[in-house]
Amino acid sequence: MASFQNAARSASRRLLKQCETPTAFAGRNRFHLSQSSHLRRLHSVPPRNSQSTAASNPALSFPCLDAQEEKTARLSARSLESGPEPSYTTGHHERFRCEVPLLLDWGGVLPEFDVAYETWGTLNEDKSNAILLHTGLSASSHAHSTESNPKPGWWEKFIGPGGPLDTNKYFIICTNVLGGCYGSTGPSSVDPSDGKRYATRFPILTVEDMVRAQFRLLDALGIQKLYASVGSSMGGMQSLAAGVLFPERINKIVSISGCARSHPYSVAMRHTQRQVLMMDPRWERGFYYDSIPPHFGMKLAREIATVTYRSGPEWEKRFGRKRADPSKQPALCADFLIETYLDHAGEKFCLEYDANSLLYVSKAMDLFDLGYEQQVETRKRRAEYERKITQGDKQLEQSDPACSLTLPEQPYEEQPSVTASIPPINESVFDRGDKNPEAPPEDLVRGLAPLKNHKVLVMGAASDILFPAWQQREIAATLQAVGNKNVEHVELGEDVSHFGHDTFLLDLKNVGGTVQRFL
């Protein structure tokens, strides 16, 4: 076993050293075709030994693999017609084209970019009633139906006359984030410098980069100050980031099921999704746009994501331990009802969102950290890039083209958390006299200082496993530590809402009602 592990580790190192350029992709196609054929042979029923009369047991069938192979055979083009559960839709949207270059936090530059957006309600005369609605990872700008696009949006019941986002009072703006694939510039867009798709030549993004692009749109609309910044999930991260970046341009902030910094569990889950996607041979290091898209990897990535979006209590009630067909023999493919649910969720999504957008946007979520030290380092980095641009240096390398990843000779050893050594802030921030060892770190308190005077609503759900409720409690406690006296924190218990992370999409009464009262 030890010799096998050593051989595998050596092979992995050899592969990791073979960093290839886009020009090498065509040469690898033959390898992937032969690899696909090899995989099909592996999944097929093995031939019987001619010397034996019969096997002890019949070979199992794999309808799930058969279905994927049939799908591969049918595919001739990609499809970006909608998005994940509940169905995000595209269709008609407005487009803001910005021709002023956008410098990104990690050194990339977009010479020009588009932001897809939609609006509802009427902007008042002094343009003071605008609400910027931020989306989750894979949503389009279509949060609500419009005359030009009557399909229901992803927050359809939350927006409208008399609704939580009341279009009789407010002018609602929703964008597809930078890096997305529903009209805003992302990896599937064309690089204006050479007329070819960016693919993985697209620069690394941050949540703050997305927010800066949104505020370019607000500038074009003549909106100097938002009535509110509202967002859920990744949108909740954007909403806080908008307040930190542009505190003077926002009145109220709503952050639902979000965080002030990404934590290890959610980073680990998104890493796993990216890994299964990139291991799909059809991903082609991101240059798959003229061939079959990596639908195997996308399907599996979505199934992993769906596990984190919903909750155990809900699944106990909906599925329990029921099998799809108890009269049949158990199968290695989807057999239990929960398995068929995940299989459907993955299959539905695998051609409805760009694989590279999933990689880039999810990575931006991982990089999210509103701590003071991170903000200082980012400002220094941006200042250095701006200096180089001013001096005419057009080759702003984001990273060394050589492979940076090498497998360690020794197994990884756990290290103590950096934040564990930071002394807790005064216990008075929790409005009670007992000392709380879980007080937010000073670095985060300093990082959220720009939000001291804002009215902020922070919401979470106890059944959320992707952004657990303690992360929203951390936001609220940190803002209280800053000295903010206008923080409202609402945590929905499992007895009230058991939809997990997707509570923000489904619970109109508790989520929508709270937002409506706050606004």
Side-chain angles (χ1 to χ4, degrees):
M1 176 61 72
S3 60
F4 171 77
Q5 292 175 336
N6 291 334
R9 187 178 294 111
S10 299
S12 297
R13 289 200 191 95
R14 288 196 299 273
L15 287 173
L16 286 167
K17 290 180 180 178
Q18 296 173 358
C19 284
E20 298 174 295
T21 60
T23 56
F25 294 138
R28 285 207 319 277
N29 283 339
R30 290 188 297 275
F31 165 76
H32 287 315
L33 287 172
S34 61
Q35 185 185 50
S36 298
S37 300
H38 177 62
L39 288 173
R40 283 194 292 274
R41 288 195 297 273
L42 287 176
H43 292 314
S44 62
V45 179
R48 292 182 177 180
N49 190 322
S50 58
Q51 296 179 353
S52 63
T53 57
S56 300
N57 299 283
L60 295 175
S61 60
F62 294 91
C64 51
L65 298 178
D66 294 339
Q68 290 304 303
E69 291 177 1
E70 291 172 4
K71 185 169 191 171
T72 299
R74 293 194 308 267
L75 286 173
S76 59
R78 298 169 65 249
S79 171
L80 294 174
E81 294 180 356
S82 59
E85 177 190 288
S87 183
Y88 301 139
T89 56
T90 58
H92 177 79
H93 55 256
E94 304 297 325
R95 186 185 72 163
F96 164 62
R97 165 64 60 87
C98 183
E99 297 182 350
V100 178
L102 181 67
L103 172 64
L104 307 181
D105 280 343
W106 283 98
V109 176
L110 294 178
E112 59 184 53
F113 62 92
D114 292 339
V115 174
Y117 71 100
E118 295 178 51
T119 65
W120 303 267
T122 303
L123 188 63
N124 61 15
E125 187 174 350
D126 62 358
K127 300 184 178 181
S128 62
N129 69 332
I131 293 179
L132 179 59
L133 176 60
H134 307 273
T135 74
L137 184 155
S138 52
S140 71
S141 60
H142 194 61
H144 185 73
S145 55
T146 62
E147 289 186 6
S148 54
N149 187 356
K151 294 181 180 179
W154 58 268
W155 239 27
E156 183 71 21
K157 295 181 180 180
F158 291 74
I159 302 172
L165 298 189
D166 191 346
T167 51
N168 288 334
K169 298 180 180 179
Y170 310 118
F171 179 64
I172 318 300
I173 309 165
C174 183
T175 77
N176 177 221
V177 297
L178 195 69
C181 58
Y182 295 126
S184 293
T185 296
S188 60
S189 302
V190 172
D191 183 346
S193 66
D194 63 4
K196 299 178 181 179
R197 293 182 191 259
Y198 279 107
T200 45
R201 299 180 303 163
F202 197 76
I204 289 293
L205 283 170
T206 66
V207 169
E208 289 85 345
D209 291 328
M210 300 172 185
V211 171
R212 291 188 185 93
Q214 291 172 328
F215 272 73
R216 292 276 186 95
L217 166 64
L218 296 181
D219 292 340
L221 296 175
I223 299 172
Q224 294 302 311
K225 187 169 185 177
L226 291 169
Y227 180 79
S229 173
V230 178
S232 305
S233 188
M234 186 182 77
M237 301 158 78
Q238 293 175 72
S239 191
L240 291 174
V244 170
L245 288 175
F246 305 99
E248 73 287 349
R249 298 188 63 177
I250 298 175
N251 180 24
K252 297 182 178 183
I253 294 174
V254 177
S255 180
I256 307 169
S257 299
C259 62
R261 49 186 178 148
S262 285
H263 292 272
Y265 174 77
S266 57
V267 172
M269 296 308 297
R270 288 187 290 265
H271 161 78
T272 306
Q273 295 168 47
R274 289 194 297 271
Q275 285 289 290
V276 298
L277 171 53
M278 291 190 293
M279 294 302 176
D280 187 326
R282 295 180 183 85
W283 180 60
E284 292 282 6
R285 307 280 177 110
F287 291 80
Y288 53 81
Y289 293 108
D290 295 325
S291 59
I292 296 174
H295 64 97
F296 276 27
M298 284 291 281
K299 179 178 185 291
L300 293 175
R302 183 60 179 178
E303 291 192 37
I304 296 171
T306 303
V307 171
T308 69
Y309 292 159
R310 307 305 273 264
S311 72
E314 179 200 9
W315 287 351
E316 285 289 346
K317 181 177 294 187
R318 291 178 63 183
F319 308 114
R321 287 189 43 78
K322 294 179 182 178
R323 293 176 57 213
D325 189 347
S327 66
K328 293 184 178 180
Q329 285 275 357
L332 295 181
C333 288
D335 183 28
F336 284 89
L337 283 182
I338 181 60
E339 293 177 311
T340 63
Y341 169 76
L342 294 175
D343 186 78
H344 172 75
E347 186 64 24
K348 182 177 183 295
F349 181 73
C350 67
L351 290 176
E352 297 176 338
Y353 192 73
D354 180 50
N356 284 334
S357 284
L358 178 63
L359 298 176
Y360 276 86
V361 177
S362 69
K363 188 65 179 182
M365 295 177 72
D366 291 353
L367 295 171
F368 185 65
D369 182 359
L370 291 179
Y372 182 75
E373 182 177 344
Q374 178 71 19
Q375 293 183 44
V376 170
E377 289 301 317
T378 299
R379 284 195 291 268
K380 289 181 179 177
R381 196 166 55 243
R382 290 182 64 86
E384 177 63 18
Y385 290 135
E386 288 174 350
R387 182 188 64 78
K388 290 183 177 181
I389 291 174
T390 302
Q391 294 176 352
D393 186 353
K394 296 182 179 180
Q395 299 298 321
L396 295 179
E397 293 291 345
Q398 295 180 83
S399 59
D400 191 327
C403 284
S404 61
L405 174 63
T406 56
L407 296 178
E409 293 289 344
Q410 299 297 326
Y412 173 77
E413 295 182 2
E414 292 188 7
Q415 301 294 326
S417 171
V418 174
T419 59
S421 61
I422 300 176
I425 58 177
N426 191 295
E427 63 270 12
S428 63
V429 303
F430 293 91
D431 295 325
R432 58 179 186 263
D434 59 312
K435 187 175 181 180
N436 194 320
E438 297 182 356
E442 184 64 27
D443 178 63
L444 196 59
V445 174
R446 295 179 68 189
L448 293 188
L451 305 183
K452 179 179 180 179
N453 299 315
H454 291 74
K455 294 180 179 180
V456 183
L457 170 63
V458 182
M459 290 192 68
S463 58
D464 189 344
I465 63 173
L466 183 59
F467 287 78
W470 68 262
Q471 296 184 11
Q472 292 87 57
R473 291 198 294 270
E474 179 180 68
I475 297 171
T478 301
L479 291 173
Q480 291 171 358
V482 169
N484 191 319
K485 305 297 183 183
N486 298 301
V487 180
E488 181 179 347
H489 174 231
V490 176
E491 184 175 316
L492 302 177
E494 290 186 6
D495 59 325
V496 176
S497 189
H498 57 258
F499 295 113
H501 186 62
D502 276 358
T503 293
F504 75 88
L505 290 169
L506 303 170
D507 195 336
L508 178 62
K509 176 182 176 182
N510 295 299
V511 175
T514 303
V515 170
Q516 186 169 18
R517 287 192 299 273
F518 176 77
L519 292 178

